[in-house]
Amino acid sequence: MKLLTIITLISINSFAQVIDSLHLNQTVDDTTLIPDSTFIVQTDSVNILTIEELEQNNLFISRERIIKSNYRFAGDLLNEFPLSFQRDYGFVGYPNEVLLYGIGNPFVNWMSDGISLNDRFRNSFNLNLIQTEDIDSIEVLPLPRGFLYGSYMYPVTVNFITRDFIPKQPYSRIRYIQGPDREASVDANFHALVSKNFLFSFDITNRIKDSTFRNTEFSIWQIKTRLKYFLSNDINLIASYNYNDYKIGFNGGVDIDSISALTSDVNSILYDNFLAPVNNPNDELKTLQHFPKLSLLTNLFNWLKSDLHLYYRFSKVSQRDVLFDYTEEKILGLSFRNKLSVKNFDFNLFVDYENQKQSARIRDDRIFPAIDTYFLKDEFKVFSLGGILSAKLLQDKLNVSLFYKYSSVDKNFERGIIIDDSEIIISPFGYSVNPSNSGTGADVHYKLNDNFKFYLGGSFLDVYSTSSSAKESFLFQSGINFSNDFLNADLYYIINEYLVNSANYYHYYKQAEKTSALGFSLKAKYSFILLESQNALYNSPSGSELYFIPDFTSRTGLFYNDFLFDNNLDLKTGFIFTYIGEQNFSSVETRILKVPSVTRLDFTLAGEVRRAAIVYFIIENIFDKKYYITSYYPMPERNFRFGIAWEFLN
């Protein structure tokens, strides 16, 4: 509660999105009502420009859905998308991987307001580093379009859109969650119009958790501050700064081999958090980030909108008792977005450039038998250019698009050894390469009527290669959406030929040469009964086995959802049933482990009181099942969480 007091003092559809912040240009005057009908601004007329979503026809997970979710971190919010799967390691704060369209971390581009968040060294992102209270919505791009955004050519893109709204008075919101083993999360958010031309916002987050299994303690501090300047009706400036200080005991899971040497009944020890031995009892993972950004938003003509972002990110990841002692990145980047609209045609231009400086200190006597410490220093210059040409036909019912992107990387490597803390460059290991690749595609959005919408798209990508014989990969997606006053249903079908098997000293990744998937999402409400279901069926048409993803997943909730007490309480409560099918998994070694299927039942409650406060309560794993999703990381036993989110100064 001391932490809560400190924070309080500091804070003084699949095709549709519930708007809690401004995504379209809005003119604010003396009587303007800002969406959600609670914010009225008294100021001179000024045009409010915002960083828009990447594409209006993408899938959006709205803020209304987000704030009523019993989530721990940003990865939980993607459960709303049927073709997603969270590789859960069972320990709170672990960098759980979220796979989308059957594709995992090495090939997923995680973005915030159109800027890539990925750790460029590992081609991954720890979703614990997202401040969830700062999210307005989550944008999931169709598989054929994912490669278009960011400097690199990754097939999947997810964009977290941050909140941007004008309050009539200083606005604040605090979210506090409490769980077992001293698990606690506090997030305080503050927005204020400090003058008619300046909008200030501030967000601070702290999450903590004690150990259950040995070496699983977790803590993170996060800060974001943002100042927006309305220079004129046509030009807005935004300066922002993000800070992350993340630390977790990184035990590598339970040491199953040690248990097998002691007993034939491994389950008698595997799920015992006191007796179970772990692979890395002293390992620790730390991430420190500084991320300042400057954005220029312009709308000089009603047919032309441009966004320019300049950013710098320092990131240092430290570990003990593992291959990489530490890695460090310094990224200086530029991102330019330009949208030109002429009659029934839109042209979107994307330009991205990054200068990346990476360094790492590595302990591994497999490479230099006589010397167990060496270093590497890399410099990357990454440039990409892409565009989308769209035509609106049949009275805007039909939208046909063609798109293309080119990306190139200029790499310079330097290698050396460390002796007595002195770096000695080994010149034969210094070299440079200049790979490039491109992608092209097309898609169609068609709105038959108010109930039916259709999507069909495909693209071809080639992987980075220094030769002209780069392998071309095919990505395909089709979908249908049906919606009316009582039902919203989505059906997706995708084909993914992007990934190839890769292995080295540090990482092993394997996937079927060709993967297809069928996704189905359903939301149906009758009276006070609400049914929500997300389902995905994966297959390998080539006949090879699936790797890293289950063959079938299902998450279905049955809820009571209605307004009570003269509409003062919006209550959603019920049970969620989860099924995860069998999967073939490997973490580091080349051996493949079979992970059995599992079922789980949870209870959840979220009640919004007078649109000012939300009370949360959840019982996870009601029947206290002993299971794991990732070998060998036991999932939590039955546990309770509760909390409150409160707009306490309003």
Side-chain angles (χ1 to χ4, degrees):
M1 294 305 295
K2 291 182 179 179
L3 180 59
L4 177 60
T5 303
I6 293 172
I7 301 301
T8 302
L9 292 175
I10 292 175
S11 65
I12 4 187
N13 93 351
S14 71
F15 288 85
Q17 178 181 14
V18 177
I19 300 178
D20 188 42
S21 67
L22 300 176
H23 286 298
L24 303 177
N25 299 347
Q26 299 288 336
T27 300
V28 177
D29 56 32
D30 291 342
T31 59
T32 299
L33 187 65
I34 302 301
D36 203 16
S37 70
T38 58
F39 306 113
I40 300 177
V41 180
Q42 301 295 327
T43 183
D44 295 335
S45 177
V46 62
N47 202 33
I48 309 302
L49 305 181
T50 60
I51 301 172
E52 295 186 357
E53 62 269 12
L54 300 178
E55 291 292 335
Q56 293 182 355
N57 289 320
N58 293 336
L59 168 76
F60 288 92
I61 302 172
S62 70
R63 180 161 178 82
E64 183 182 53
R65 302 282 294 177
I66 290 171
I67 64 175
K68 293 182 180 178
S69 300
N70 272 304
Y71 59 85
R72 275 193 170 100
F73 79 123
D76 295 335
L77 301 175
L78 289 157
N79 291 333
E80 300 286 339
F81 180 52
L83 292 174
S84 69
F85 169 65
Q86 183 180 157
R87 178 154 303 291
D88 200 326
Y89 291 90
F91 307 136
V92 174
Y94 247 63
N96 293 349
E97 178 183 7
V98 175
L99 292 84
L100 297 122
Y101 302 108
I103 298 175
N105 255 340
F107 310 102
V108 177
N109 180 25
W110 299 98
M111 309 187 86
S112 177
D113 292 331
I115 303 300
S116 180
L117 302 172
N118 287 37
D119 178 338
R120 309 299 196 272
F121 193 92
R122 296 168 175 81
N123 291 338
S124 64
F125 179 65
N126 180 356
L127 286 164
N128 287 283
L129 302 181
I130 291 285
Q131 287 181 274
T132 51
E133 283 300 290
D134 192 46
I135 300 174
D136 175 79
S137 57
I138 304 173
E139 182 179 10
V140 182
L141 274 76
L143 182 61
R145 287 190 176 217
F147 73 93
L148 287 169
Y149 300 94
S151 300
Y152 289 98
M153 195 81 70
Y154 298 136
V156 175
T157 292
V158 177
N159 185 35
F160 293 92
I161 301 172
T162 59
R163 302 188 71 192
D164 189 4
F165 61 91
I166 311 295
K168 66 176 181 180
Q169 62 186 32
Y171 167 87
S172 60
R173 174 183 165 91
I174 188 165
R175 185 177 190 265
Y176 176 76
I177 302 295
Q178 180 72 56
D181 303 303
R182 212 167 66 92
E183 178 186 356
S185 173
V186 180
D187 193 308
N189 194 286
F190 176 78
H191 293 252
L193 195 65
V194 295
S195 76
K196 69 178 183 180
N197 293 109
F198 284 96
L199 175 66
F200 173 76
S201 64
F202 183 78
D203 191 13
I204 183 168
T205 306
N206 181 220
R207 297 171 58 205
I208 58 172
K209 176 73 162 58
D210 284 347
S211 283
T212 50
F213 286 75
R214 184 175 178 182
N215 194 28
T216 55
E217 63 277 4
F218 161 67
S219 71
I220 185 171
W221 279 98
Q222 298 170 281
I223 296 174
K224 178 183 178 180
T225 184
R226 187 173 185 264
L227 184 65
K228 186 170 185 176
Y229 176 48
F230 311 123
L231 181 63
S232 71
N233 286 346
D234 304 320
I235 302 174
N236 288 182
L237 292 170
I238 303 174
S240 65
Y241 168 74
N242 290 73
Y243 169 84
N244 285 296
D245 186 3
Y246 166 92
K247 180 168 65 176
I248 191 168
F250 206 65
N251 67 13
V254 173
D255 185 353
I256 198 72
D257 294 331
S258 296
I259 297 177
S260 299
L262 296 174
T263 177
S264 59
D265 183 12
V266 295
N267 288 341
S268 63
I269 298 178
L270 175 60
Y271 300 102
D272 189 317
N273 59 21
F274 180 74
L275 295 177
V278 297
N279 288 302
N280 304 313
N282 299 309
D283 193 9
E284 184 178 65
L285 175 64
K286 295 181 180 179
T287 301
L288 177 66
Q289 284 190 348
H290 301 277
F291 190 6
K293 182 176 68 172
L294 181 64
S295 300
L296 173 66
L297 314 181
T298 66
N299 193 8
L300 301 177
F301 307 98
N302 58 8
W303 45 268
L304 179 65
K305 187 179 188 306
S306 302
D307 296 350
L308 176 65
H309 308 281
L310 301 173
Y311 57 93
Y312 172 81
R313 193 182 76 191
F314 170 85
S315 181
K316 183 174 182 179
V317 179
S318 305
Q319 284 187 258
R320 295 198 307 240
D321 300 336
V322 293
L323 185 63
F324 293 106
D325 191 13
Y326 78 86
T327 61
E328 187 175 283
E329 285 184 332
K330 297 177 181 178
I331 301 173
L332 182 63
L334 176 150
S335 178
F336 177 70
R337 305 280 184 268
N338 192 78
K339 183 176 182 179
L340 174 67
S341 300
V342 179
K343 294 185 178 180
N344 293 331
F345 293 90
D346 290 337
F347 178 68
N348 288 273
L349 175 68
F350 319 115
V351 180
D352 290 276
Y353 173 80
E354 287 188 347
N355 182 281
Q356 307 166 14
K357 294 183 178 180
Q358 303 174 350
S359 61
R361 179 169 171 159
I362 301 174
R363 299 181 183 276
D364 189 356
D365 59 7
R366 293 175 296 179
I367 298 177
F368 297 111
I371 302 171
D372 66 355
T373 303
Y374 73 103
F375 70 89
L376 55 89
K377 294 182 179 179
D378 305 331
E379 183 173 356
F380 294 69
K381 295 178 181 178
V382 190
F383 171 79
S384 70
L385 176 67
I388 303 174
L389 178 63
S390 300
K392 298 176 183 179
L393 309 171
L394 302 179
Q395 297 179 338
D396 291 347
K397 290 185 176 182
L398 179 65
N399 191 315
V400 181
S401 300
L402 303 174
F403 36 90
Y404 173 82
K405 179 181 175 182
Y406 169 81
S407 177
S408 67
V409 182
D410 182 8
K411 302 181 179 181
N412 292 284
F413 301 92
E414 184 179 283
R415 301 293 185 264
I417 60 176
I418 300 175
I419 300 178
D420 297 329
D421 292 328
S422 298
E423 295 183 352
I424 302 175
I425 298 175
I426 303 177
S427 56
F429 288 85
Y431 61 97
S432 64
V433 294
N434 304 95
S436 64
N437 65 344
S438 63
T440 185
D443 63 11
V444 176
H445 290 88
Y446 178 61
K447 182 179 179 181
L448 178 63
N449 51 42
D450 291 338
N451 301 118
F452 284 97
K453 299 176 184 177
F454 299 88
Y455 175 80
L456 181 69
S459 58
F460 292 91
L461 312 183
D462 54 83
V463 298
Y464 281 113
S465 174
T466 55
S467 69
S468 60
S469 60
K471 181 180 178 181
E472 195 171 56
S473 300
F474 177 58
L475 302 172
F476 171 83
Q477 180 175 335
S478 61
I480 180 173
N481 168 258
F482 173 81
S483 63
N484 60 24
D485 293 338
F486 308 101
L487 177 68
N488 191 303
D490 290 285
L491 182 65
Y492 306 90
Y493 177 72
I494 63 110
I495 297 175
N496 165 34
E497 294 182 347
Y498 181 80
L499 300 184
V500 294
N501 301 341
S502 64
N504 55 34
Y505 280 118
Y506 327 120
H507 179 70
Y508 179 73
Y509 199 98
K510 185 179 178 69
Q511 177 171 318
E513 293 181 0
K514 182 178 180 181
T515 302
S516 65
L518 191 67
F520 176 65
S521 174
L522 174 68
K523 180 180 179 181
K525 186 175 183 182
Y526 178 75
S527 185
F528 55 83
I529 301 299
L530 174 64
L531 175 67
E532 296 180 346
S533 186
Q534 312 287 343
N535 307 272
L537 176 66
Y538 293 91
N539 183 39
S540 176
S542 60
S544 59
E545 287 190 286
L546 289 170
Y547 299 97
F548 286 91
I549 53 174
D551 52 4
F552 178 69
T553 62
S554 178
R555 186 175 185 268
T556 301
L558 184 63
F559 306 97
Y560 175 92
N561 184 205
D562 204 0
F563 287 90
L564 303 174
F565 306 112
D566 295 327
N567 292 331
N568 287 313
L569 174 63
D570 181 7
L571 179 65
K572 179 182 178 182
T573 182
F575 295 90
I576 299 175
F577 174 79
T578 302
Y579 173 83
I580 299 174
E582 291 185 349
Q583 52 177 308
N584 300 305
F585 175 73
S586 173
S587 57
V588 177
E589 300 176 356
T590 56
R591 61 174 178 163
I592 300 296
L593 304 173
K594 287 281 187 180
V595 179
S597 61
V598 64
T599 59
R600 193 179 88 178
L601 186 67
D602 301 330
F603 171 79
T604 181
L605 179 150
E608 186 174 16
V609 182
R610 303 187 67 178
R611 299 185 64 84
I614 300 179
V615 178
Y616 302 95
F617 179 73
I618 188 171
I619 306 175
E620 289 185 319
N621 194 6
I622 290 175
F623 296 113
D624 202 21
K625 299 197 69 168
K626 310 299 182 186
Y627 71 102
Y628 57 87
I629 294 175
T630 306
S631 306
Y632 289 94
Y633 292 84
M635 291 293 290
E637 58 189 10
R638 179 172 53 234
N639 64 89
F640 303 81
R641 292 202 321 273
F642 65 91
I644 185 172
W646 180 27
E647 297 177 1
F648 62 95
L649 290 184
N650 305 283

